[in-house]
Amino acid sequence: MSAPIRLLLLAGLAVSAAAAPALAQTRTALADPDADRLFQDQNGAYYLKRGDRYVPYAGRVEFGRAVLDRQAATAVPPLAPAPAMQPPASRQAALVQPEASGDPALSPIEAAKAKAVLRTPDNGPIDYAKAYGPIEDDVFPVRAFDYKKMSPAYLRQEIAYNGPYEPGTIIVDPRAHQLTLVQEGGRARRYGVGVGKQGFSWSGTATVNSKQAWPDWYPPKEMIARSPKLASEVDKLQSGLGVSGGLRNPLGARAMYLWQGNKDTLFRIHGTLEPFSIGKSVSSGCIRMINQDAIDLFSRVNVGSKVVVLN
């Protein structure tokens, strides 16, 4: 995000007292005058502050403020399906209060990425021709995936779930090459994934620390050392040597960044340039998905969601 945007680190979570004049009168009806104040993370997702928590917000936005019931000071806006979360104060992510007229400093690509982050999930019956068809209205066009050539075990499914994990939890089974998102009402969504090859597999519990649409990719120095060809593919970006988000980026259309405590695991759940690697153990530890599936999962998962990678 560019320098003119007022970044507010989670460690402090201070916020500008300036309010949009057009809202001054309507906001007086709220017992808490800041009840409709919105925050954004670095990926464009909106949050409302409720006590010491930051609650995902998916309702209407006007002049940089949430449109709430003006008759109720504690009106609850429409929320994303995952539960509210308390961002760790030590996390080096940022919240920003959006400008009333939008941020003019955002490039067209950045603005498109922010919009993509808020993409609404399709909750209708899973129709593979539609689910894996081309996506033309995203930041970059996503090509159709020939699902008929993929084992049905690795295609998106709606399944029953009666396991021990609460809704919003992501469960990765590396042996089955499947990822399951637990949902409400004893249901879950299952996707095929590619996982770490021998020597790069891992297990344990992590947290989705942040989410990005069409993210930049910064391969670790060790990876470049193992694959010298990468040296000719990376460019000098804002945060180091990497590949800009786009159609040649190995992270694909979406990425969810996994942390353990205050430490980045360097593992991601992300899309891929190689969809037929799904169902195989080929990665350097990341969990890769067909781009259409990565977009679908991304739209259902909140920052703070728990990720369990089984043995």
Side-chain angles (χ1 to χ4, degrees):
M1 224 169 242
S2 55
I5 299 180
R6 295 194 298 275
L7 290 180
L8 306 174
L9 292 180
L10 286 178
L13 292 172
V15 67
S16 169
L23 293 180
Q25 287 188 321
T26 56
R27 292 182 61 232
T28 58
L30 291 170
D32 178 359
D34 288 328
D36 60 351
R37 175 166 288 180
L38 282 173
F39 298 84
Q40 279 183 289
D41 64 19
Q42 70 270 37
N43 304 309
Y46 288 111
Y47 295 83
L48 288 166
K49 189 174 183 181
R50 292 293 180 261
D52 60 353
R53 298 186 305 163
Y54 287 82
V55 182
Y57 176 75
R60 290 173 52 208
V61 178
E62 291 182 0
F63 303 103
R65 297 275 181 170
V67 179
L68 305 180
D69 179 0
R70 302 297 174 181
Q71 303 304 314
T74 58
V76 178
L79 301 181
M85 42 73 70
Q86 165 74 45
S90 58
R91 180 184 301 157
Q92 295 305 302
L95 295 181
V96 57
Q97 187 178 359
E99 299 292 342
S101 59
D103 179 12
L106 288 179
S107 71
I109 290 293
E110 289 173 326
K113 287 183 179 182
K115 183 178 179 181
V117 165
L118 301 176
R119 191 181 188 98
T120 303
D122 182 355
N123 290 318
I126 297 176
D127 175 351
Y128 286 154
K130 180 181 179 182
Y132 294 112
I135 300 176
E136 304 290 349
D137 61 345
D138 212 78
V139 184
F140 300 96
V142 178
R143 295 171 58 184
F145 172 66
D146 189 353
Y147 65 91
K148 295 180 181 179
K149 294 183 178 180
M150 176 65 75
S151 167
Y154 305 132
L155 297 178
R156 192 184 314 174
Q157 302 174 53
E158 189 83 23
I159 63 172
Y161 179 80
N162 59 1
Y165 297 105
E166 64 183 16
T169 303
I170 297 171
I171 307 163
V172 179
D173 185 342
R175 295 189 181 187
H177 295 93
Q178 291 177 327
L179 178 154
T180 301
L181 172 65
V182 181
Q183 298 184 301
E184 301 282 354
R187 305 297 295 172
R189 289 178 85 85
R190 178 175 288 168
Y191 311 82
V193 295
V195 296
K197 57 190 173 184
Q198 187 174 5
F200 291 90
S201 60
W202 65 287
S203 62
T205 301
T207 300
V208 176
N209 177 272
S210 64
K211 302 162 51 182
Q212 292 188 31
W214 298 96
D216 295 339
W217 178 55
Y218 296 93
K221 294 179 180 178
E222 296 79 6
M223 182 178 289
I224 296 178
R226 291 193 303 268
S227 304
K229 178 184 174 184
L230 281 176
S232 63
E233 298 178 359
V234 297
D235 301 309
K236 189 172 182 180
L237 305 180
Q238 183 177 2
S239 300
L241 293 176
V243 180
S244 296
L247 299 176
R248 70 181 187 94
N249 190 303
L251 298 184
R254 300 288 190 274
M256 288 147 274
Y257 293 72
L258 307 184
W259 285 46
Q260 291 177 323
N262 298 324
K263 184 178 180 180
D264 187 352
T265 66
L266 300 181
F267 298 128
R268 321 295 187 217
I269 300 172
H270 63 80
T272 182
L273 296 175
E274 303 172 326
F276 285 103
S277 66
I278 302 306
K280 301 176 182 179
S281 300
V282 292
S283 78
S284 296
C286 286
I287 300 156
R288 60 174 67 173
M289 307 179 72
I290 299 167
N291 274 327
Q292 283 87 339
D293 285 344
I295 291 172
D296 185 73
L297 176 68
F298 186 99
S299 69
R300 300 173 188 278
V301 171
N302 284 328
V303 171
S305 294
K306 182 179 181 179
V307 179
V308 179
V309 181
L310 304 177
N311 288 318

